[in-house]
Amino acid sequence: MHIAITGAAGFLGQRLVNQLLERGELCQQPITRLTLIDQIEAPQPAAESVAVTSVALDITQPGALDSVLEQRPDVIYHLAAVVSSAAEADLELGMRVNFDATRALLEGCREQELSDTRLIMASSVAAYGGELPEVLDDMTALHPQNSYGAQKAMCELLINDYSRRGLIDGLVLRLPTIVIRPGRPNAAASSFASSILREPLNGEEAVCPVPTELPMFVMSPGRVVAALIHGAEVPSEALATFRAFMLPGITVTVADMLAALRDVAGEKALSLVRHEPDPRIEAIVASWPARFETAKAKQLGFVGDDNFKQIIDAFVTEPS
Amino acid sequence: MHIAITGAAGFLGQRLVNQLLERGELCQQPITRLTLIDQIEAPQPAAESVAVTSVALDITQPGALDSVLEQRPDVIYHLAAVVSSAAEADLELGMRVNFDATRALLEGCREQELSDTRLIMASSVAAYGGELPEVLDDMTALHPQNSYGAQKAMCELLINDYSRRGLIDGLVLRLPTIVIRPGRPNAAASSFASSILREPLNGEEAVCPVPTELPMFVMSPGRVVAALIHGAEVPSEALATFRAFMLPGITVTVADMLAALRDVAGEKALSLVRHEPDPRIEAIVASWPARFETAKAKQLGFVGDDNFKQIIDAFVTEPS
């Protein structure tokens, strides 16, 4: 079992690599080879029985992935992407990385006749937008209100069409907001959602820029990585007529998140969260849908977090 | 008012040109110039006060539309496309014509800073597919089951994103099955829907390959052209957060269509229709959704046919 991962140096990529090495098998077959792909060389964990190769390359260059695809990977995780704020700031960059590189990957798979290779791409809640129903489901139209979401939605259509034509065995998982991310606050509008938990758990102050009644649709990094792994194991026949769907996040308000923080780490941790409204961040985050019926994902065996306290507990026991 | 039309030599393109010349104005401004674009030179109707130019060019070639866009058209109708059967037979051809050429058109508009130019593209009922609700509406997800529909759906996302970014003033109209098309039967699965009416009205025999209880979502050529014209006149502000939607067709069974034929042309015309089931055609046509709530189109002032008899009457009085 040879697994290739684009975006392998990223937060999710690294966790996925570690998890795969820990399991040692995928689809009930021993993992013999991992090819880690990123702009910079991804960290290459020590592994006894798995040949791990890390290659630094620019997937937007023609033929960049040829040498990897010639090795006929059995599973490809396509996690490389330009994030939403960068895709919004630079339309060409977003189109080139998020769309054209995905298309080139699909064409490369086609050239190598990798029709049985399971290709798993990460999409996003950002693909939804505009006027939305109170609760979204698998039949809710994608009307993205940002270029990142539009590019991801275009990739979904392309991967579905290539899969329908039997050129690839594709699957797209739309990810909820991932909480608690490790590391430091960043420029993402969703950064606070990790920050208001992660910093107090580390005894540091954090700022909450949104009203506490704001609902969000969230999933822990551990469950997201488990979903990526499960995505390799879902039989093609079960995917039916459309191969992109939302993962089963849980709906929590910021107040729920802070209450769970207090339950786990006490009043003192809670008191480290300062409330400083930022209308710009509130406007962005409030535009993300927070309530979903994820029937398809659940039927296919994808599993969300049980509750928000579990998300905090997971971070505390396994913080990175 | 300068109007450019791709696919101007096609059936809809020609009717649109004639209708625009007959009106003489669009958006309450006199039409001074029409640029007709197609692979072959489109017929160039005589026009007194309108400068009509017909150019034969391949819109898939880099920069093909530059000289047209440099003239800064006020309205662009983008009707050029590879039809569904051809896009299914040849993935590259479909991607190149249906998707890449649309993207190049958008980039050309951006280069020329045509942010106020209304760009109107025709999409299709073929963008819908898979497991669908009994009645579709403006929030029904697009899960196309053919490459043509996937390519159109990708263009919808791109046009919406370019419009949202203020790079173009775009609009996409999803067309119902057009009935009654003029001319002769062709290889399209929907060909019979025009044929079983057009041929008997001309005293000729026709074959109906599907069960008469099969429902379809249809619109007359006259109403489609009226919708294309209305599309130029809808204010941008009214288009809200997503600029692609289904036009208000009417739902009729094949039996309804034949009953209307009898009402207009009598039993003798009806007796010219032979019933010869073709499971292949039935399977394709039955996969097209036939019932829609087209709230957005109606709210924006798009108008469908009143009933099927009106569609036949329009064909009889104005057959081409």
Side-chain angles (χ1 to χ4, degrees):
Chain A
M1 170 74 55
H2 174 197
I3 304 168
I5 304 173
T6 75
F11 147 63
L12 271 185
Q14 288 193 45
R15 284 190 72 126
L16 175 62
V17 169
N18 291 338
Q19 195 62 43
L20 288 170
L21 288 174
E22 196 170 296
R23 291 169 55 103
E25 61 87 22
L26 192 63
C27 309
Q28 295 174 308
Q29 287 177 53
I31 300 170
T32 52
R33 191 162 174 187
L34 278 183
T35 305
L36 314 185
I37 303 155
D38 212 311
Q39 282 181 291
I40 53 163
E41 224 172 90
Q44 207 166 319
E48 270 182 30
S49 55
V50 182
V52 184
T53 317
S54 191
V55 289
L57 52 80
D58 178 355
I59 58 167
T60 68
Q61 292 307 305
L65 289 168
D66 283 359
S67 61
V68 175
L69 299 178
E70 279 163 15
Q71 306 303 315
R72 309 186 67 76
D74 302 289
V75 175
I76 301 172
Y77 287 102
H78 181 41
L79 307 179
V82 157
V83 298
S84 57
S85 52
E88 198 61 23
D90 187 339
L91 177 59
E92 276 87 4
L93 178 69
M95 283 296 289
R96 207 161 61 232
V97 178
N98 294 344
F99 180 73
D100 292 324
T102 302
R103 183 174 173 186
L105 172 57
L106 290 169
E107 275 298 297
C109 289
R110 182 187 185 194
E111 262 165 47
Q112 296 296 329
E113 300 183 352
L114 302 182
S115 53
D116 293 331
T117 292
R118 172 60 55 88
L119 171 73
I120 299 159
M121 188 187 83
S123 182
S124 165
V125 69
Y128 295 94
E131 297 138 49
L132 287 167
E134 182 61 25
V135 180
L136 286 70
D137 63 27
D138 295 316
M139 282 309 294
T140 304
L142 301 186
H143 295 169
Q145 300 302 309
N146 58 88
S147 293
Y148 175 80
Q151 290 149 10
K152 286 289 184 186
M154 287 163 58
C155 290
E156 292 189 4
L157 288 159
L158 208 54
I159 289 174
N160 194 64
D161 201 45
Y162 272 65
S163 300
R164 187 189 59 80
R165 294 182 79 111
L167 302 171
I168 187 84
D169 184 6
L171 176 59
V172 183
L173 304 175
R174 295 181 194 137
L175 308 188
T177 298
I178 301 178
V179 174
I180 301 169
R181 286 178 171 269
R184 305 298 305 165
N186 63 28
S190 60
S191 181
F192 79 89
S194 288
S195 196
I196 57 171
L197 306 160
R198 183 185 58 222
E199 270 64 282
L201 287 167
N202 291 330
E204 296 171 28
E205 289 200 343
V207 171
C208 179
V210 301
T212 54
E213 63 269 27
L214 196 81
M216 300 186 74
F217 196 65
V218 303
M219 200 172 200
S220 66
R223 290 294 191 187
V224 170
V225 168
L228 291 170
I229 288 170
H230 183 64
E233 303 191 324
V234 173
S236 313
E237 313 81 69
L239 295 173
T241 52
F242 203 70
R243 287 166 173 250
F245 46 86
M246 192 73 200
L247 286 180
I250 55 174
T251 303
V252 286
T253 63
V254 173
D256 295 334
M257 292 162 67
L258 293 174
L261 171 66
R262 190 190 47 215
D263 289 352
V264 172
E267 286 292 344
K268 199 175 160 199
L270 188 64
S271 71
L272 290 166
V273 180
R274 252 189 1 258
H275 293 268
E276 291 178 10
D278 183 331
R280 197 189 54 86
I281 291 182
E282 184 189 345
I284 297 172
V285 179
S287 77
W288 299 341
R291 294 176 213 283
F292 287 86
E293 281 280 356
T294 56
K296 179 150 184 173
K298 285 179 179 166
Q299 174 220 320
L300 291 171
F302 291 91
V303 178
D305 299 281
D306 292 331
N307 52 60
F308 200 77
K309 185 165 173 298
Q310 193 183 70
I311 292 181
I312 297 187
D313 287 339
F315 178 80
V316 170
T317 51
E318 184 205 351
S320 63
Chain B
M1 171 71 60
H2 175 198
I3 305 168
I5 304 172
T6 74
F11 147 63
L12 271 185
Q14 288 194 44
R15 284 190 71 127
L16 175 63
V17 168
N18 291 337
Q19 194 62 41
L20 288 169
L21 288 175
E22 195 171 297
R23 290 170 55 103
E25 60 87 24
L26 190 64
C27 308
Q28 296 174 308
Q29 287 178 53
I31 299 170
T32 51
R33 192 163 174 186
L34 279 184
T35 304
L36 315 185
I37 303 155
D38 213 311
Q39 281 181 291
I40 53 161
E41 226 171 85
Q44 207 166 320
E48 268 182 31
S49 55
V50 182
V52 184
T53 317
S54 191
V55 288
L57 53 81
D58 178 355
I59 58 168
T60 67
Q61 293 305 306
L65 288 168
D66 284 358
S67 61
V68 174
L69 298 178
E70 279 163 15
Q71 306 301 315
R72 309 185 66 76
D74 302 290
V75 174
I76 301 172
Y77 287 102
H78 181 41
L79 307 179
V82 158
V83 297
S84 57
S85 52
E88 198 60 25
D90 187 340
L91 177 60
E92 278 87 4
L93 177 70
M95 283 298 288
R96 206 161 61 232
V97 177
N98 294 345
F99 179 74
D100 292 324
T102 302
R103 182 172 173 188
L105 171 58
L106 289 169
E107 275 299 295
C109 289
R110 182 186 184 194
E111 262 166 47
Q112 295 296 328
E113 300 183 353
L114 302 181
S115 54
D116 293 331
T117 292
R118 172 59 55 87
L119 172 73
I120 299 159
M121 189 187 82
S123 181
S124 164
V125 68
Y128 295 96
E131 297 138 49
L132 289 167
E134 181 62 24
V135 179
L136 286 70
D137 63 27
D138 294 317
M139 283 309 294
T140 305
L142 301 186
H143 294 169
Q145 299 303 310
N146 57 87
S147 293
Y148 175 81
Q151 290 150 10
K152 286 289 184 186
M154 286 162 59
C155 290
E156 292 189 5
L157 288 159
L158 208 54
I159 289 174
N160 194 65
D161 201 45
Y162 272 65
S163 299
R164 186 189 60 79
R165 294 182 81 110
L167 301 171
I168 187 82
D169 184 7
L171 177 60
V172 183
L173 304 175
R174 294 179 195 138
L175 308 187
T177 298
I178 301 178
V179 174
I180 303 171
R181 286 178 171 269
R184 305 298 306 165
N186 64 27
S190 60
S191 180
F192 80 88
S194 288
S195 196
I196 58 171
L197 305 161
R198 184 185 58 223
E199 269 64 282
L201 288 167
N202 291 330
E204 295 172 29
E205 288 199 341
V207 170
C208 179
V210 301
T212 55
E213 62 269 26
L214 195 82
M216 300 185 74
F217 197 63
V218 302
M219 199 172 201
S220 65
R223 290 296 191 186
V224 170
V225 168
L228 290 170
I229 288 171
H230 184 64
E233 303 192 325
V234 173
S236 314
E237 313 81 68
L239 295 173
T241 51
F242 203 70
R243 288 166 173 250
F245 45 86
M246 192 73 200
L247 286 180
I250 54 173
T251 304
V252 287
T253 63
V254 173
D256 295 334
M257 293 163 68
L258 294 174
L261 172 66
R262 191 190 48 215
D263 290 351
V264 172
E267 287 292 345
K268 199 173 157 199
L270 188 64
S271 71
L272 290 167
V273 179
R274 251 187 5 255
H275 293 268
E276 290 178 8
D278 182 333
R280 198 190 53 88
I281 291 183
E282 184 188 344
I284 297 172
V285 178
S287 77
W288 299 341
R291 293 175 214 285
F292 286 87
E293 281 281 356
T294 56
K296 179 149 185 176
K298 285 179 178 166
Q299 174 220 320
L300 292 171
F302 291 90
V303 179
D305 299 281
D306 292 330
N307 53 60
F308 200 76
K309 185 165 171 299
Q310 194 184 67
I311 292 182
I312 297 188
D313 288 339
F315 178 79
V316 171
T317 51
E318 184 205 349
S320 64

